[in-house]
Structure formats: structure tokens, C-alpha cells
Amino acid sequence: VVDASNVALRHGRNEAFSCRGVEICLDYLGRRFPGARVALFLPDYLLDARKVAAKKKLGGRPAETPDDVVYLQGLQRRGVLFGTPSQDYDDAYQIEYARNHDGVIISNDLFRDAVDKQPFMQRAAFRRWLQEHVLSFTFIGDEFCPNPEFQLPFLARGPVSIL
């Protein structure tokens, strides 16, 4: 599961929503895990070219102004990117999808809001799940660099490195 906004903003150094960062991440995953199911999530309004253009014209924040909406729409048509209702908390969709499919979330988000929404007695277990299933990353120029200390959660054959 890819937190597409998080990946795009990291590649754009928090100054731009760089769709190239999403492309680089997808290329990395395709090479490292051929045939694996990859799902990207974004709020619907980031896939609406008119809304994005209006926000750019008004000097909108980088998180609200992808630099290539057509590319994102193409990913959506291919069934790789999934929009979430604009009024909803998109992180909840990413987390739920990863939990239901024994997946890993590629994000630098700490998901504090999601932890706070858990019943108090379940927060420690949820934090542990996040530590085991959220892969942090950086970019060195146009190279996607996942956290080298991350180990994929135990699979039937044991832990597998993401690198």
C-alpha cells in the first residue's frame, strides 16, 4: 500500500507534489516485487484536474496541487490508484486495506490520528502493528530508498528484507 501523497511530497521536498516520486516508487516495487499487488491511495479531489488547477491558481499548498493529474488519473484507470472520498480520512483506507491484505504501507506518516482513534486498550497493539507494517523511506535524487532496517512482517517462510 502506497501513501501516494506522502511519497509525492517527500520527492518534492515538501515544496511540490511530485508525481515523479510516485512513478519512481512504483518502478522500484515492480522491480523488487514483480507481480505483487500494489495499491495507491489519494483523496478524490487530487484526481480532479479542475479542482487542482483552481487551487494552483489560488496558490494552494503543495499537498493540494499534484504536478501531473493526468498521470494520476492514468494510474486510477489502470486499477493501481484508488481515490478516497474527499471528506474522509484517507489514512484509514490505507491502514484498513493493508490490515485486510497482510500488506505493508509505504509512508513516513506516524499515523498518530489513527492511533488516537483506537479504543484506549487497543492502542499499544495498534502501534505495534504500525511499527511492523509501515515502511519509511527517502529519496536520494530520483532514487527511492526504503528504510534499510525494515523487515517485512513474518511470512510463512520467515522475515524477508525489503532491499
Side-chain angles (χ1 to χ4, degrees):
V1 175
V2 178
D3 182 345
S5 292
N6 193 272
V7 169
L9 288 169
R10 181 65 180 210
H11 186 258
R13 294 185 219 113
N14 291 323
E15 296 174 9
F17 189 112
S18 172
C19 292
R20 176 81 177 120
V22 172
E23 181 181 13
I24 292 165
C25 178
L26 285 174
D27 288 347
Y28 175 90
L29 294 172
R31 284 190 317 274
R32 183 67 178 93
F33 303 101
R37 172 84 166 115
V38 177
L40 291 85
F41 289 88
L42 274 179
D44 284 335
Y45 68 87
L46 294 175
L47 300 167
D48 185 324
R50 287 187 311 251
K51 288 181 182 177
V52 170
K55 286 188 184 270
K56 282 183 181 180
K57 194 173 187 178
L58 296 172
R61 298 176 308 132
E64 300 173 332
T65 55
D67 62 4
D68 192 347
V69 176
V70 172
Y71 171 73
L72 297 174
Q73 291 169 338
L75 292 176
Q76 187 177 38
R77 280 190 302 277
R78 287 181 24 217
V80 176
L81 187 146
F82 302 92
T84 62
S86 298
Q87 72 276 8
D88 290 355
Y89 179 56
D90 63 316
D91 292 349
Y93 289 90
Q94 296 169 37
I95 292 166
E96 190 65 16
Y97 191 84
R99 290 181 92 175
N100 288 339
H101 294 87
D102 197 25
V104 170
I105 303 170
I106 297 175
S107 181
N108 289 328
D109 194 328
L110 299 176
F111 298 106
R112 288 186 191 108
D113 293 345
V115 170
D116 290 343
K117 291 179 181 181
Q118 299 297 310
F120 183 77
M121 297 301 289
Q122 296 175 10
R123 289 180 184 174
F126 186 64
R127 276 190 202 97
R128 192 168 37 260
W129 185 89
L130 288 170
Q131 288 170 348
E132 295 170 355
H133 291 81
V134 176
L135 170 60
S136 60
F137 66 93
T138 195
F139 285 95
I140 299 173
D142 280 345
E143 182 180 353
F144 179 77
C145 300
N147 180 344
E149 296 178 346
F150 183 83
Q151 292 290 312
L152 286 172
F154 275 95
L155 304 173
R157 62 184 181 277
V160 177
S161 173
I162 192 81
L163 301 176

